[in-house]
Amino acid sequence: MTTHSISAPGKVILSGEHAVVYGYPALVSAVNMRLTLSLKAKSSKKTTKPILKMPTAEYISAYLKQNYAVNIHSDIPRGSGLGSSAAYAVSLATAYLSLRGKPTKKHINDLAFQLEKSHHGNPSGVDNTACTYGGYLWFRKEHQQLHLMHQLPITKKIQCFLLQSGQPKETTKDMIAYVAEQRKMNPEKYKKIFDKIESITKTWLAYMFDEVSRHTLLEAVRENHRLLSALGVVSPKASALIAEIEKIGGSAKITGAGGKSDGSGMLLIFHDDKEKLTKFAQKKKLKMYPVQLGERGVILT
Amino acid sequence: MTTHSISAPGKVILSGEHAVVYGYPALVSAVNMRLTLSLKAKSSKKTTKPILKMPTAEYISAYLKQNYAVNIHSDIPRGSGLGSSAAYAVSLATAYLSLRGKPTKKHINDLAFQLEKSHHGNPSGVDNTACTYGGYLWFRKEHQQLHLMHQLPITKKIQCFLLQSGQPKETTKDMIAYVAEQRKMNPEKYKKIFDKIESITKTWLAYMFDEVSRHTLLEAVRENHRLLSALGVVSPKASALIAEIEKIGGSAKITGAGGKSDGSGMLLIFHDDKEKLTKFAQKKKLKMYPVQLGERGVILT
């Protein structure tokens, strides 16, 4: 009886959100929250080989269910910008392609991108690429038709925390449109903010290459928060939380598009004292996840 | 009797020189000037298989000469920033690796980069990459340790001209140091110039993707010349030439690091009337080369 198990990681944006829309770089990391898809062949049935080259997600699901007992487990919180849908697409693509042969990561990533496209309209391709390859991903949209992604040659594992500051009322699309509108009224100001965000994203690179200290990085994360606030994508609720986290010795910022009227989604937090931060989250009755950055990509066993 | 023939193209920088030093993008193209390396096995001798994994240029040359009659022909002008040394390194790498098996372009490029490094100290890797893969190359030095290069998915062939404005008295290193010094004194001004150069490099992308007209591109090339002049890397001699070329309906700029006290090296020229431009060059007694951009990379036959 054939069993397959596929596991794909979630991802977080470390630096560069919003700026990335305007051609500035973003740094993304796979995290050790994973989605697992298990297939157990139905012993009573003879498995038919999948035939389509560019199947839809629906086709793959139907095909898998017809031939296998399918089980999906995920510890990637949904709707929090952590790439849960990409992890699913990457897992589906890996399952399907591995039944047709031995797929390369490029094959998997290409099909997962197709699946993402049919569900999300116009995704950047960052999420599926991060989930497929894992590690740290450098991303730049040099042009509408030229989204450059580069796997960093870095194996550093970095501990951090994710804290749910509350589901934003606005969608990612809303937030991007909001920044675009504000930027139109004051392009000079926004250019300065984005330039500074780029410099922070490059501080991350310097940290990855062991050229600056952790202290320098954490200062950069705090500055990143201030710049995101200046963009208007951090709600008063999330701002207050981040101020408290800074007060107890941490560095924090939103990760993703943010939100301005209620919650701002997940916060990315760095703090040397796990216990202190855990107590803080408990007191606030907020869900917190200790995570490790630089997690490996999709695994097929 | 085995004969091998390897041919590698030269390259030109279309946009982004100097800015590229500070993390801005550059666009580079392979050109249809090529270096050809032919090997004819010496019939009297039994060829020994090459054994070193990371050979030096000297080792490869000696090995080839021991076993083959070697002939090199190049129509890439030397010392003009057209990648003649990279074309040689790529050809050597291809010759050597193909005698050990069937090398991928990645293998060739990696070895060529090693060969370039041992000769030039700290090359960016752009030249060998353009010569190996051909076409159009997008390049950005995101970090000292992260030189990102991306082959553009573009097959457009573009006609242009190269005109020798005179060998610069300064080396590339001198010119880069000169700009760095000036920039230190007025970083704001230089940032503005580089930002504008980036926007021109992206106009090239838009032209490649058929989103802007040739007229828009040629205006951008003229603007690029003005910005390079503002950087102080275009000599009075080269400036005067470019002014005349503009007067007769062309667009021109230096390509490469330039020069400030005498010649500024090769000029990249776009002009719709080949005859007019040829007459101009003849009158000036300057060597002109009609070239085609987007040439294919190294070829082994």
Side-chain angles (χ1 to χ4, degrees), chain A residues 110-153:
Chain A
D110 288 349
L111 176 54
F113 188 44
Q114 291 303 321
L115 301 179
E116 284 272 272
K117 265 198 223 165
S118 65
H119 275 252
H120 297 289
N122 191 23
S124 65
V126 170
D127 285 17
N128 50 281
T129 304
C131 295
T132 302
Y133 293 94
Y136 300 95
L137 190 71
W138 189 259
F139 173 73
R140 230 192 235 268
K141 199 171 90 182
E142 296 283 16
H143 185 87
Q144 199 46 51
Q145 294 189 54
L146 194 68
H147 293 189
L148 298 192
M149 290 175 224
H150 182 84
Q151 206 61 26
L152 294 185

mmCIF file of all heavy atoms in Angstrom, chain A residues 110-153:
data_model
loop_
_atom_site.group_PDB
_atom_site.id
_atom_site.type_symbol
_atom_site.label_atom_id
_atom_site.label_comp_id
_atom_site.label_asym_id
_atom_site.label_seq_id
_atom_site.Cartn_x
_atom_site.Cartn_y
_atom_site.Cartn_z
ATOM 1 N N ASP A 110 6.371 25.954 -10.352
ATOM 2 C CA ASP A 110 5.616 26.450 -11.509
ATOM 3 C C ASP A 110 4.150 26.044 -11.420
ATOM 4 O O ASP A 110 3.253 26.852 -11.650
ATOM 5 C CB ASP A 110 6.211 25.908 -12.819
ATOM 6 C CG ASP A 110 7.552 26.575 -13.149
ATOM 7 O OD1 ASP A 110 7.888 27.569 -12.478
ATOM 8 O OD2 ASP A 110 8.250 26.085 -14.052
ATOM 9 N N LEU A 111 3.906 24.773 -11.086
ATOM 10 C CA LEU A 111 2.509 24.322 -11.000
ATOM 11 C C LEU A 111 1.811 25.002 -9.817
ATOM 12 O O LEU A 111 0.661 25.462 -9.945
ATOM 13 C CB LEU A 111 2.444 22.795 -10.868
ATOM 14 C CG LEU A 111 1.039 22.207 -10.666
ATOM 15 C CD1 LEU A 111 0.060 22.676 -11.759
ATOM 16 C CD2 LEU A 111 1.079 20.674 -10.640
ATOM 17 N N ALA A 112 2.493 25.087 -8.679
ATOM 18 C CA ALA A 112 1.889 25.742 -7.508
ATOM 19 C C ALA A 112 1.517 27.185 -7.846
ATOM 20 O O ALA A 112 0.461 27.680 -7.437
ATOM 21 C CB ALA A 112 2.850 25.698 -6.318
ATOM 22 N N PHE A 113 2.361 27.848 -8.629
ATOM 23 C CA PHE A 113 2.072 29.240 -9.027
ATOM 24 C C PHE A 113 0.811 29.284 -9.882
ATOM 25 O O PHE A 113 -0.048 30.155 -9.706
ATOM 26 C CB PHE A 113 3.278 29.816 -9.778
ATOM 27 C CG PHE A 113 3.164 31.291 -10.063
ATOM 28 C CD1 PHE A 113 2.716 32.184 -9.099
ATOM 29 C CD2 PHE A 113 3.539 31.802 -11.306
ATOM 30 C CE1 PHE A 113 2.629 33.552 -9.356
ATOM 31 C CE2 PHE A 113 3.450 33.167 -11.568
ATOM 32 C CZ PHE A 113 2.987 34.037 -10.592
ATOM 33 N N GLN A 114 0.668 28.330 -10.787
ATOM 34 C CA GLN A 114 -0.561 28.251 -11.597
ATOM 35 C C GLN A 114 -1.782 28.088 -10.700
ATOM 36 O O GLN A 114 -2.813 28.730 -10.900
ATOM 37 C CB GLN A 114 -0.503 27.060 -12.574
ATOM 38 C CG GLN A 114 0.516 27.206 -13.696
ATOM 39 C CD GLN A 114 0.294 28.464 -14.522
ATOM 40 O OE1 GLN A 114 -0.835 28.838 -14.810
ATOM 41 N NE2 GLN A 114 1.386 29.136 -14.858
ATOM 42 N N LEU A 115 -1.661 27.199 -9.715
ATOM 43 C CA LEU A 115 -2.784 26.933 -8.819
ATOM 44 C C LEU A 115 -3.123 28.205 -8.031
ATOM 45 O O LEU A 115 -4.297 28.566 -7.880
ATOM 46 C CB LEU A 115 -2.450 25.788 -7.854
ATOM 47 C CG LEU A 115 -2.090 24.430 -8.499
ATOM 48 C CD1 LEU A 115 -1.752 23.406 -7.421
ATOM 49 C CD2 LEU A 115 -3.230 23.912 -9.377
ATOM 50 N N GLU A 116 -2.090 28.876 -7.538
ATOM 51 C CA GLU A 116 -2.301 30.120 -6.798
ATOM 52 C C GLU A 116 -2.973 31.169 -7.677
ATOM 53 O O GLU A 116 -3.867 31.887 -7.225
ATOM 54 C CB GLU A 116 -0.943 30.668 -6.320
ATOM 55 C CG GLU A 116 -0.369 29.930 -5.133
ATOM 56 C CD GLU A 116 -0.866 30.504 -3.813
ATOM 57 O OE1 GLU A 116 -0.234 31.439 -3.302
ATOM 58 O OE2 GLU A 116 -1.905 29.999 -3.312
ATOM 59 N N LYS A 117 -2.533 31.241 -8.921
ATOM 60 C CA LYS A 117 -3.080 32.245 -9.836
ATOM 61 C C LYS A 117 -4.569 32.057 -10.031
ATOM 62 O O LYS A 117 -5.334 33.018 -10.030
ATOM 63 C CB LYS A 117 -2.387 32.133 -11.202
ATOM 64 C CG LYS A 117 -1.214 33.081 -11.366
ATOM 65 C CD LYS A 117 -0.891 33.213 -12.844
ATOM 66 C CE LYS A 117 0.593 33.170 -13.068
ATOM 67 N NZ LYS A 117 0.968 32.946 -14.460
ATOM 68 N N SER A 118 -4.987 30.801 -10.201
ATOM 69 C CA SER A 118 -6.398 30.577 -10.486
ATOM 70 C C SER A 118 -7.249 30.862 -9.251
ATOM 71 O O SER A 118 -8.444 31.095 -9.358
ATOM 72 C CB SER A 118 -6.620 29.148 -10.993
ATOM 73 O OG SER A 118 -6.296 28.242 -9.970
ATOM 74 N N HIS A 119 -6.607 30.909 -8.072
ATOM 75 C CA HIS A 119 -7.384 31.211 -6.859
ATOM 76 C C HIS A 119 -7.282 32.664 -6.421
ATOM 77 O O HIS A 119 -8.182 33.177 -5.783
ATOM 78 C CB HIS A 119 -6.932 30.298 -5.703
ATOM 79 C CG HIS A 119 -7.630 28.981 -5.748
ATOM 80 N ND1 HIS A 119 -8.606 28.625 -4.858
ATOM 81 C CD2 HIS A 119 -7.526 27.962 -6.618
ATOM 82 C CE1 HIS A 119 -9.060 27.429 -5.171
ATOM 83 N NE2 HIS A 119 -8.406 26.990 -6.223
ATOM 84 N N HIS A 120 -6.151 33.314 -6.737
ATOM 85 C CA HIS A 120 -5.933 34.651 -6.177
ATOM 86 C C HIS A 120 -5.788 35.728 -7.225
ATOM 87 O O HIS A 120 -5.398 36.839 -6.904
ATOM 88 C CB HIS A 120 -4.661 34.668 -5.325
ATOM 89 C CG HIS A 120 -4.741 33.775 -4.134
ATOM 90 N ND1 HIS A 120 -5.539 34.066 -3.062
ATOM 91 C CD2 HIS A 120 -4.139 32.607 -3.861
ATOM 92 C CE1 HIS A 120 -5.413 33.088 -2.169
ATOM 93 N NE2 HIS A 120 -4.566 32.197 -2.626
ATOM 94 N N GLY A 121 -6.043 35.410 -8.476
ATOM 95 C CA GLY A 121 -5.957 36.450 -9.496
ATOM 96 C C GLY A 121 -4.528 36.776 -9.864
ATOM 97 O O GLY A 121 -3.998 36.231 -10.816
ATOM 98 N N ASN A 122 -3.889 37.629 -9.072
ATOM 99 C CA ASN A 122 -2.597 38.145 -9.476
ATOM 100 C C ASN A 122 -1.540 38.043 -8.358
ATOM 101 O O ASN A 122 -1.005 39.046 -7.911
ATOM 102 C CB ASN A 122 -2.772 39.610 -9.915
ATOM 103 C CG ASN A 122 -1.540 40.142 -10.607
ATOM 104 O OD1 ASN A 122 -0.733 39.370 -11.133
ATOM 105 N ND2 ASN A 122 -1.378 41.457 -10.586
ATOM 106 N N PRO A 123 -1.236 36.822 -7.915
ATOM 107 C CA PRO A 123 -0.242 36.698 -6.837
ATOM 108 C C PRO A 123 1.149 37.019 -7.368
ATOM 109 O O PRO A 123 1.395 36.948 -8.571
ATOM 110 C CB PRO A 123 -0.333 35.220 -6.463
ATOM 111 C CG PRO A 123 -0.745 34.544 -7.716
ATOM 112 C CD PRO A 123 -1.638 35.507 -8.442
ATOM 113 N N SER A 124 2.056 37.380 -6.464
ATOM 114 C CA SER A 124 3.407 37.755 -6.885
ATOM 115 C C SER A 124 4.260 36.525 -7.168
ATOM 116 O O SER A 124 5.268 36.611 -7.845
ATOM 117 C CB SER A 124 4.081 38.568 -5.784
ATOM 118 O OG SER A 124 4.253 37.753 -4.632
ATOM 119 N N GLY A 125 3.860 35.388 -6.604
ATOM 120 C CA GLY A 125 4.689 34.192 -6.746
ATOM 121 C C GLY A 125 5.673 34.022 -5.592
ATOM 122 O O GLY A 125 6.383 33.033 -5.520
ATOM 123 N N VAL A 126 5.707 35.001 -4.685
ATOM 124 C CA VAL A 126 6.636 34.923 -3.553
ATOM 125 C C VAL A 126 6.260 33.762 -2.638
ATOM 126 O O VAL A 126 7.120 32.981 -2.222
ATOM 127 C CB VAL A 126 6.606 36.217 -2.718
ATOM 128 C CG1 VAL A 126 7.373 36.032 -1.421
ATOM 129 C CG2 VAL A 126 7.206 37.361 -3.505
ATOM 130 N N ASP A 127 4.964 33.673 -2.311
ATOM 131 C CA ASP A 127 4.552 32.688 -1.314
ATOM 132 C C ASP A 127 4.866 31.265 -1.759
ATOM 133 O O ASP A 127 5.495 30.501 -1.014
ATOM 134 C CB ASP A 127 3.046 32.826 -1.019
ATOM 135 C CG ASP A 127 2.753 34.040 -0.154
ATOM 136 O OD1 ASP A 127 3.624 34.928 -0.065
ATOM 137 O OD2 ASP A 127 1.657 34.109 0.428
ATOM 138 N N ASN A 128 4.465 30.908 -2.973
ATOM 139 C CA ASN A 128 4.722 29.545 -3.407
ATOM 140 C C ASN A 128 6.224 29.275 -3.517
ATOM 141 O O ASN A 128 6.697 28.182 -3.207
ATOM 142 C CB ASN A 128 3.993 29.206 -4.718
ATOM 143 C CG ASN A 128 4.199 30.228 -5.809
ATOM 144 O OD1 ASN A 128 3.564 31.279 -5.803
ATOM 145 N ND2 ASN A 128 5.099 29.946 -6.727
ATOM 146 N N THR A 129 6.994 30.306 -3.928
ATOM 147 C CA THR A 129 8.438 30.109 -4.054
ATOM 148 C C THR A 129 9.073 29.878 -2.679
ATOM 149 O O THR A 129 9.905 28.976 -2.515
ATOM 150 C CB THR A 129 9.085 31.322 -4.759
ATOM 151 O OG1 THR A 129 8.434 31.510 -6.019
ATOM 152 C CG2 THR A 129 10.564 31.095 -4.997
ATOM 153 N N ALA A 130 8.653 30.666 -1.696
ATOM 154 C CA ALA A 130 9.185 30.484 -0.336
ATOM 155 C C ALA A 130 8.810 29.103 0.205
ATOM 156 O O ALA A 130 9.626 28.419 0.823
ATOM 157 C CB ALA A 130 8.671 31.580 0.582
ATOM 158 N N CYS A 131 7.549 28.694 -0.014
ATOM 159 C CA CYS A 131 7.096 27.383 0.484
ATOM 160 C C CYS A 131 7.813 26.239 -0.226
ATOM 161 O O CYS A 131 8.100 25.210 0.373
ATOM 162 C CB CYS A 131 5.593 27.210 0.284
ATOM 163 S SG CYS A 131 4.608 28.346 1.256
ATOM 164 N N THR A 132 8.094 26.414 -1.499
ATOM 165 C CA THR A 132 8.737 25.336 -2.252
ATOM 166 C C THR A 132 10.204 25.189 -1.854
ATOM 167 O O THR A 132 10.668 24.103 -1.526
ATOM 168 C CB THR A 132 8.661 25.605 -3.772
ATOM 169 O OG1 THR A 132 7.289 25.744 -4.144
ATOM 170 C CG2 THR A 132 9.291 24.464 -4.564
ATOM 171 N N TYR A 133 10.932 26.292 -1.886
ATOM 172 C CA TYR A 133 12.388 26.218 -1.689
ATOM 173 C C TYR A 133 12.813 26.353 -0.233
ATOM 174 O O TYR A 133 13.897 25.918 0.141
ATOM 175 C CB TYR A 133 13.093 27.278 -2.539
ATOM 176 C CG TYR A 133 12.965 27.030 -4.027
ATOM 177 C CD1 TYR A 133 11.953 27.616 -4.764
ATOM 178 C CD2 TYR A 133 13.858 26.193 -4.686
ATOM 179 C CE1 TYR A 133 11.836 27.393 -6.129
ATOM 180 C CE2 TYR A 133 13.751 25.950 -6.044
ATOM 181 C CZ TYR A 133 12.734 26.562 -6.765
ATOM 182 O OH TYR A 133 12.622 26.331 -8.109
ATOM 183 N N GLY A 134 11.974 27.010 0.578
ATOM 184 C CA GLY A 134 12.349 27.216 1.975
ATOM 185 C C GLY A 134 13.457 28.235 2.129
ATOM 186 O O GLY A 134 13.806 28.944 1.176
ATOM 187 N N GLY A 135 14.013 28.344 3.320
ATOM 188 C CA GLY A 135 15.106 29.286 3.577
ATOM 189 C C GLY A 135 14.649 30.729 3.513
ATOM 190 O O GLY A 135 13.529 31.059 3.911
ATOM 191 N N TYR A 136 15.536 31.568 2.989
ATOM 192 C CA TYR A 136 15.263 33.001 2.914
ATOM 193 C C TYR A 136 15.195 33.431 1.452
ATOM 194 O O TYR A 136 16.052 33.057 0.653
ATOM 195 C CB TYR A 136 16.349 33.791 3.633
ATOM 196 C CG TYR A 136 16.465 33.431 5.096
ATOM 197 C CD1 TYR A 136 17.393 32.488 5.521
ATOM 198 C CD2 TYR A 136 15.632 34.010 6.040
ATOM 199 C CE1 TYR A 136 17.497 32.138 6.861
ATOM 200 C CE2 TYR A 136 15.725 33.667 7.382
ATOM 201 C CZ TYR A 136 16.661 32.730 7.787
ATOM 202 O OH TYR A 136 16.751 32.383 9.109
ATOM 203 N N LEU A 137 14.199 34.217 1.148
ATOM 204 C CA LEU A 137 13.950 34.595 -0.241
ATOM 205 C C LEU A 137 14.052 36.107 -0.411
ATOM 206 O O LEU A 137 13.385 36.873 0.295
ATOM 207 C CB LEU A 137 12.540 34.138 -0.620
ATOM 208 C CG LEU A 137 12.162 34.219 -2.086
ATOM 209 C CD1 LEU A 137 12.904 33.150 -2.878
ATOM 210 C CD2 LEU A 137 10.652 34.030 -2.242
ATOM 211 N N TRP A 138 14.880 36.521 -1.343
ATOM 212 C CA TRP A 138 14.999 37.935 -1.709
ATOM 213 C C TRP A 138 14.074 38.174 -2.897
ATOM 214 O O TRP A 138 14.104 37.414 -3.860
ATOM 215 C CB TRP A 138 16.445 38.230 -2.106
ATOM 216 C CG TRP A 138 16.768 39.672 -2.302
ATOM 217 C CD1 TRP A 138 16.878 40.323 -3.504
ATOM 218 C CD2 TRP A 138 17.049 40.639 -1.286
ATOM 219 N NE1 TRP A 138 17.216 41.631 -3.278
ATOM 220 C CE2 TRP A 138 17.327 41.860 -1.939
ATOM 221 C CE3 TRP A 138 17.090 40.583 0.104
ATOM 222 C CZ2 TRP A 138 17.644 43.018 -1.239
ATOM 223 C CZ3 TRP A 138 17.402 41.738 0.802
ATOM 224 C CH2 TRP A 138 17.674 42.939 0.131
ATOM 225 N N PHE A 139 13.271 39.203 -2.813
ATOM 226 C CA PHE A 139 12.276 39.429 -3.871
ATOM 227 C C PHE A 139 12.278 40.878 -4.315
ATOM 228 O O PHE A 139 12.340 41.791 -3.480
ATOM 229 C CB PHE A 139 10.880 39.074 -3.341
ATOM 230 C CG PHE A 139 9.761 39.422 -4.289
ATOM 231 C CD1 PHE A 139 9.558 38.679 -5.436
ATOM 232 C CD2 PHE A 139 8.918 40.495 -4.035
ATOM 233 C CE1 PHE A 139 8.530 39.001 -6.322
ATOM 234 C CE2 PHE A 139 7.881 40.820 -4.906
ATOM 235 C CZ PHE A 139 7.688 40.070 -6.053
ATOM 236 N N ARG A 140 12.217 41.078 -5.610
ATOM 237 C CA ARG A 140 12.081 42.425 -6.156
ATOM 238 C C ARG A 140 11.235 42.389 -7.412
ATOM 239 O O ARG A 140 11.495 41.596 -8.311
ATOM 240 C CB ARG A 140 13.454 42.970 -6.524
ATOM 241 C CG ARG A 140 13.737 44.351 -5.980
ATOM 242 C CD ARG A 140 14.962 44.877 -6.642
ATOM 243 N NE ARG A 140 15.997 45.300 -5.734
ATOM 244 C CZ ARG A 140 16.110 46.554 -5.280
ATOM 245 N NH1 ARG A 140 15.256 47.470 -5.647
ATOM 246 N NH2 ARG A 140 17.100 46.871 -4.476
ATOM 247 N N LYS A 141 10.251 43.244 -7.465
ATOM 248 C CA LYS A 141 9.440 43.377 -8.685
ATOM 249 C C LYS A 141 10.090 44.470 -9.512
ATOM 250 O O LYS A 141 9.785 45.638 -9.341
ATOM 251 C CB LYS A 141 8.008 43.755 -8.267
ATOM 252 C CG LYS A 141 6.967 43.496 -9.300
ATOM 253 C CD LYS A 141 5.579 43.698 -8.729
ATOM 254 C CE LYS A 141 5.148 45.138 -8.920
ATOM 255 N NZ LYS A 141 3.811 45.412 -8.334
ATOM 256 N N GLU A 142 11.002 44.083 -10.399
ATOM 257 C CA GLU A 142 11.714 45.088 -11.190
ATOM 258 C C GLU A 142 10.787 45.720 -12.217
ATOM 259 O O GLU A 142 10.993 46.841 -12.676
ATOM 260 C CB GLU A 142 12.921 44.458 -11.902
ATOM 261 C CG GLU A 142 14.001 43.932 -10.955
ATOM 262 C CD GLU A 142 14.885 45.027 -10.351
ATOM 263 O OE1 GLU A 142 14.499 46.203 -10.404
ATOM 264 O OE2 GLU A 142 15.957 44.678 -9.810
ATOM 265 N N HIS A 143 9.765 44.944 -12.584
ATOM 266 C CA HIS A 143 8.831 45.381 -13.608
ATOM 267 C C HIS A 143 7.596 44.510 -13.446
ATOM 268 O O HIS A 143 7.679 43.429 -12.884
ATOM 269 C CB HIS A 143 9.477 45.150 -14.990
ATOM 270 C CG HIS A 143 8.661 45.662 -16.131
ATOM 271 N ND1 HIS A 143 8.752 46.958 -16.566
ATOM 272 C CD2 HIS A 143 7.726 45.070 -16.916
ATOM 273 C CE1 HIS A 143 7.919 47.130 -17.586
ATOM 274 N NE2 HIS A 143 7.292 45.986 -17.812
ATOM 275 N N GLN A 144 6.461 45.014 -13.958
ATOM 276 C CA GLN A 144 5.242 44.212 -13.849
ATOM 277 C C GLN A 144 5.480 42.782 -14.352
ATOM 278 O O GLN A 144 4.929 41.827 -13.805
ATOM 279 C CB GLN A 144 4.114 44.894 -14.626
ATOM 280 C CG GLN A 144 2.721 44.433 -14.236
ATOM 281 C CD GLN A 144 2.524 44.383 -12.719
ATOM 282 O OE1 GLN A 144 2.804 45.349 -12.006
ATOM 283 N NE2 GLN A 144 2.085 43.226 -12.210
ATOM 284 N N GLN A 145 6.330 42.684 -15.377
ATOM 285 C CA GLN A 145 6.568 41.366 -15.971
ATOM 286 C C GLN A 145 7.883 40.732 -15.507
ATOM 287 O O GLN A 145 8.326 39.750 -16.090
ATOM 288 C CB GLN A 145 6.588 41.479 -17.494
ATOM 289 C CG GLN A 145 5.243 41.879 -18.082
ATOM 290 C CD GLN A 145 5.237 41.777 -19.586
ATOM 291 O OE1 GLN A 145 5.554 40.728 -20.147
ATOM 292 N NE2 GLN A 145 4.879 42.853 -20.257
ATOM 293 N N LEU A 146 8.515 41.328 -14.518
ATOM 294 C CA LEU A 146 9.807 40.788 -14.094
ATOM 295 C C LEU A 146 9.894 40.767 -12.575
ATOM 296 O O LEU A 146 10.395 41.698 -11.952
ATOM 297 C CB LEU A 146 10.948 41.625 -14.698
ATOM 298 C CG LEU A 146 12.343 41.000 -14.613
ATOM 299 C CD1 LEU A 146 12.452 39.773 -15.506
ATOM 300 C CD2 LEU A 146 13.406 42.022 -15.010
ATOM 301 N N HIS A 147 9.372 39.690 -11.996
ATOM 302 C CA HIS A 147 9.416 39.505 -10.554
ATOM 303 C C HIS A 147 10.638 38.655 -10.250
ATOM 304 O O HIS A 147 10.628 37.453 -10.499
ATOM 305 C CB HIS A 147 8.151 38.792 -10.070
ATOM 306 C CG HIS A 147 6.908 39.607 -10.233
ATOM 307 N ND1 HIS A 147 5.699 39.243 -9.697
ATOM 308 C CD2 HIS A 147 6.676 40.788 -10.856
ATOM 309 C CE1 HIS A 147 4.791 40.155 -9.981
ATOM 310 N NE2 HIS A 147 5.359 41.103 -10.702
ATOM 311 N N LEU A 148 11.667 39.266 -9.708
ATOM 312 C CA LEU A 148 12.895 38.505 -9.459
ATOM 313 C C LEU A 148 12.913 37.952 -8.038
ATOM 314 O O LEU A 148 12.665 38.669 -7.078
ATOM 315 C CB LEU A 148 14.115 39.384 -9.704
ATOM 316 C CG LEU A 148 14.242 39.898 -11.130
ATOM 317 C CD1 LEU A 148 15.619 40.519 -11.355
ATOM 318 C CD2 LEU A 148 14.014 38.782 -12.143
ATOM 319 N N MET A 149 13.170 36.662 -7.946
ATOM 320 C CA MET A 149 13.236 36.009 -6.641
ATOM 321 C C MET A 149 14.548 35.273 -6.559
ATOM 322 O O MET A 149 14.952 34.622 -7.501
ATOM 323 C CB MET A 149 12.102 35.008 -6.510
ATOM 324 C CG MET A 149 10.771 35.713 -6.395
ATOM 325 S SD MET A 149 9.412 34.565 -6.396
ATOM 326 C CE MET A 149 8.322 35.442 -7.507
ATOM 327 N N HIS A 150 15.182 35.390 -5.418
ATOM 328 C CA HIS A 150 16.479 34.742 -5.263
ATOM 329 C C HIS A 150 16.591 34.112 -3.882
ATOM 330 O O HIS A 150 16.416 34.778 -2.873
ATOM 331 C CB HIS A 150 17.593 35.772 -5.474
ATOM 332 C CG HIS A 150 18.951 35.176 -5.371
ATOM 333 N ND1 HIS A 150 19.566 34.548 -6.434
ATOM 334 C CD2 HIS A 150 19.797 35.072 -4.329
ATOM 335 C CE1 HIS A 150 20.739 34.101 -6.042
ATOM 336 N NE2 HIS A 150 20.903 34.394 -4.769
ATOM 337 N N GLN A 151 16.890 32.840 -3.891
ATOM 338 C CA GLN A 151 17.111 32.105 -2.658
ATOM 339 C C GLN A 151 18.427 32.566 -2.057
ATOM 340 O O GLN A 151 19.463 32.457 -2.696
ATOM 341 C CB GLN A 151 17.192 30.612 -3.039
ATOM 342 C CG GLN A 151 16.816 29.674 -1.965
ATOM 343 C CD GLN A 151 15.385 29.905 -1.546
ATOM 344 O OE1 GLN A 151 14.566 30.394 -2.317
ATOM 345 N NE2 GLN A 151 15.095 29.595 -0.307
ATOM 346 N N LEU A 152 18.416 33.066 -0.832
ATOM 347 C CA LEU A 152 19.677 33.511 -0.233
ATOM 348 C C LEU A 152 20.521 32.311 0.183
ATOM 349 O O LEU A 152 19.987 31.317 0.673
ATOM 350 C CB LEU A 152 19.418 34.395 0.983
ATOM 351 C CG LEU A 152 18.747 35.736 0.725
ATOM 352 C CD1 LEU A 152 18.671 36.543 2.011
ATOM 353 C CD2 LEU A 152 19.492 36.523 -0.330
ATOM 354 N N PRO A 153 21.841 32.422 -0.002
ATOM 355 C CA PRO A 153 22.729 31.316 0.380
ATOM 356 C C PRO A 153 23.011 31.352 1.888
ATOM 357 O O PRO A 153 24.150 31.464 2.306
ATOM 358 C CB PRO A 153 23.998 31.608 -0.433
ATOM 359 C CG PRO A 153 24.007 33.104 -0.569
ATOM 360 C CD PRO A 153 22.569 33.550 -0.603
#
